[in-house]
Amino acid sequence: MKKVVLAYSGGLDTTFCALHLTKDLGYEVHAVIVNTGGFSKEELTAVEARANTLGVASFHILEVLDTYYEEVIKYLVFGNVLKNSTYPLSVSAERILQAKSLAEYAKSIGAKAVAHGSTGAGNDQVRFDMIFQTIVPDIEIITPIRDLKLSRQEEIEYLKKHGVSMNFEKAAYSINKGIWGTSVGGKETLTSSDFLPEEAWPTQVTETEAKEIKLTFVQGELKGVDGETFENPVNAIQEVQALAGPYGIGRDIHVGDTIIGIKGRVGFEAAAPLIIIKGHQLLEKHTLTKWQMFWKNQLSEFYGNHLHEGHYLDPVMRNLEAFLADTQKFVTGDVRVMLQPYRFTLLGINSNHDLMSSKFGSYGEMNKGYTGEDVKGFTRILGNQTAIFHKVNSDD
């Protein structure tokens, strides 16, 4: 019997895949969860129990949260990466590491095929396939949902027919949870006009009183929250999420161009990623020079787009990561943030590397590093070429 490694989450799509691969296609299915911070211990136990009712040969959990941070998330923070100035790549970044981990696991057990639950209409199919064809080029890639062109309703009917019991009402929304945000897809995101209803959001609003928190960055990495130091930035991210998530912060719908050329919408909630990225960006505005900021913005946008479209293994990504890491030497300090229902406000920063130091003057009031005569000469030279152009080409 041929071994297949299935990217499994316990949701509607991968539950269908597990059953279809075993019952209809006769594969020896090895279901694998690549945990990037989206499952509690209780949830993993429940997912394993369901997998075992579907006839899988084995169930395995790959714990990759620290690797996910070190290889991907860290650089998204360094680059302040938000797709279309909105989306923190909650799913796309996660998929890259999941695919990489699955490919390596498939090699380790001698699997002849890998399978995933992507449809034929989204980005994930490309991300998974590109990683698989690079790391395990000789392994067959199986995609039941894509190949059979199934709707979610058809999947539900199939599972009911085979006696599978799960919350099908909840399954009406496709939810993908990880440490870098949770995506939510449903009938509303298939339109251009509708917004997700309150009940569709996985984290409900329970906090209403404003609260100020402090984020401490050390060379660009979040190492402290409200005075508590975290050796591992993963734990700091989780603490920010625990504090900010109950405010309903970070809810939005991202509209973008998919890899396959169509427009797409996806809902997401990402309190910690948005607060951390915006806080980090504010600290950089105070500690980096104009040209550091300029080139970071250009290269970070490319880095985010390239990762989003599945090109993580392109060697240029390692080059860009080296640049991003090098810019973080002096990005150290505290950022004050006010949390309120559905929003947050950046209040200010404190840093020993603040280039807005009063030792050099106060913007709009006084300067201490040059004289008025210096400015007159500087301005004449700065505008000289423009003045020459207009003089040479004047109609007079």
Side-chain angles (χ1 to χ4, degrees):
M1 190 178 292
K2 189 157 52 171
K3 287 182 183 178
V4 59
V5 169
L6 170 64
Y8 185 75
S9 68
L12 178 65
D13 295 333
T14 58
T15 299
F16 172 88
C17 288
L19 197 61
H20 175 67
L21 288 167
T22 54
K23 287 189 174 295
D24 301 334
L25 302 184
Y27 280 96
E28 179 183 306
V29 177
H30 297 268
V32 178
I33 279 187
V34 184
N35 188 13
T36 53
F39 295 93
S40 66
K41 290 181 179 179
E42 294 76 19
E43 288 170 332
L44 287 172
T45 299
V47 171
E48 180 176 10
R50 174 178 295 157
N52 290 330
T53 68
L54 303 173
V56 301
S58 73
F59 174 85
H60 192 70
I61 301 169
L62 298 178
E63 296 288 355
V64 299
L65 188 50
D66 288 343
T67 304
Y68 182 29
Y69 174 80
E70 287 296 331
E71 295 187 2
V72 183
I73 292 175
K74 178 168 67 175
Y75 299 104
L76 297 181
V77 176
F78 288 173
N80 305 314
V81 175
L82 292 174
K83 177 74 171 171
N84 291 354
S85 303
T86 303
Y87 179 52
L89 304 189
S90 302
V91 175
S92 47
E94 186 177 89
R95 291 292 185 257
I96 297 304
L97 192 67
Q98 288 173 334
K100 185 167 171 279
S101 302
L102 285 163
E104 291 164 352
Y105 183 77
K107 279 200 299 185
S108 74
I109 68 168
K112 299 302 181 184
V114 287
H116 57 91
S118 301
T119 70
N123 290 321
D124 285 347
Q125 58 180 328
V126 178
R127 297 177 186 129
F128 276 114
D129 288 4
M130 284 179 65
I131 296 291
F132 292 156
Q133 72 185 22
T134 300
I135 298 178
V136 283
D138 298 325
I139 286 182
E140 179 186 3
I141 301 171
I142 304 172
T143 54
I145 310 297
R146 175 173 64 183
D147 297 342
L148 296 172
K149 301 178 181 178
L150 296 174
S151 68
R152 295 183 69 78
Q153 188 56 45
E154 287 173 320
E155 293 176 61
I156 290 171
E157 290 171 1
Y158 175 89
L159 293 176
K160 286 182 176 178
K161 177 182 174 182
H162 286 84
V164 176
S165 177
M166 59 187 296
N167 187 341
F168 291 113
E169 184 176 338
K170 183 179 179 181
Y173 289 94
S174 176
I175 296 175
N176 184 87
K177 185 179 179 182
I179 192 174
W180 208 235
T182 300
S183 68
V184 185
K187 63 180 186 299
E188 293 84 5
T189 58
L190 299 177
T191 73
S192 297
S193 59
D194 295 335
F195 199 75
L196 289 165
E198 183 69 23
E199 61 271 16
W201 299 104
T203 305
Q204 295 294 291
V205 176
T206 56
E207 293 286 350
T208 57
E209 295 295 322
K211 177 181 177 63
E212 182 180 327
I213 64 171
K214 182 178 71 174
L215 307 182
T216 300
F217 291 90
V218 178
Q219 295 189 335
E221 296 189 75
L222 183 65
K223 289 296 186 77
V225 181
D226 271 354
E228 183 177 357
T229 300
F230 297 90
E231 184 63 30
N232 187 345
V234 165
N235 302 130
I237 294 170
Q238 291 170 327
E239 178 66 12
V240 175
Q241 183 62 41
L243 290 170
Y247 283 92
I249 291 171
R251 292 179 177 182
D252 205 344
I253 290 185
H254 167 58
V255 182
D257 298 290
T258 65
I259 303 169
I260 55 177
I262 60 176
K263 293 284 186 182
R265 294 176 88 217
V266 63
F268 68 91
E269 57 174 38
L274 288 177
I275 291 171
I276 292 166
I277 285 174
K278 287 300 183 180
H280 175 266
Q281 186 178 46
L282 178 62
L283 185 59
E284 283 193 328
K285 288 178 180 180
H286 283 263
T287 58
L288 298 186
T289 67
K290 174 175 71 175
W291 292 112
Q292 283 180 302
M293 292 291 293
F294 175 85
W295 286 110
K296 269 191 82 266
N297 289 340
Q298 313 308 307
L299 298 179
S300 295
E301 183 171 0
F302 176 85
Y303 182 87
N305 284 334
H306 218 43
L307 186 146
H308 180 74
E309 297 188 353
H311 295 286
Y312 178 77
L313 296 179
D314 187 329
V316 73
M317 299 294 276
R318 310 293 82 77
N319 304 141
L320 294 174
E321 288 164 359
F323 169 82
L324 292 173
D326 189 65
T327 65
Q328 300 301 295
K329 183 177 180 181
F330 299 113
V331 186
T332 295
D334 297 328
V335 181
R336 294 170 52 232
V337 184
M338 182 66 73
L339 307 180
Q340 293 174 281
Y342 304 106
R343 64 189 177 95
F344 66 94
T345 305
L346 301 177
L347 302 177
I349 70 104
N350 290 289
S351 172
N352 292 332
H353 305 288
D354 189 356
L355 301 181
M356 196 177 159
S357 171
S358 61
K359 290 187 295 184
F360 306 108
S362 299
Y363 179 70
E365 294 186 13
M366 68 172 64
N367 70 73
K368 300 177 181 178
Y370 48 83
T371 68
E373 291 303 312
D374 292 335
V375 177
K376 290 179 183 179
F378 167 75
T379 304
R380 181 174 294 278
I381 293 170
L382 182 66
N384 193 38
Q385 189 171 75
T386 302
I388 291 171
F389 172 87
H390 284 281
K391 189 170 184 178
V392 168
N393 296 290
S394 173
D395 292 334
D396 297 335

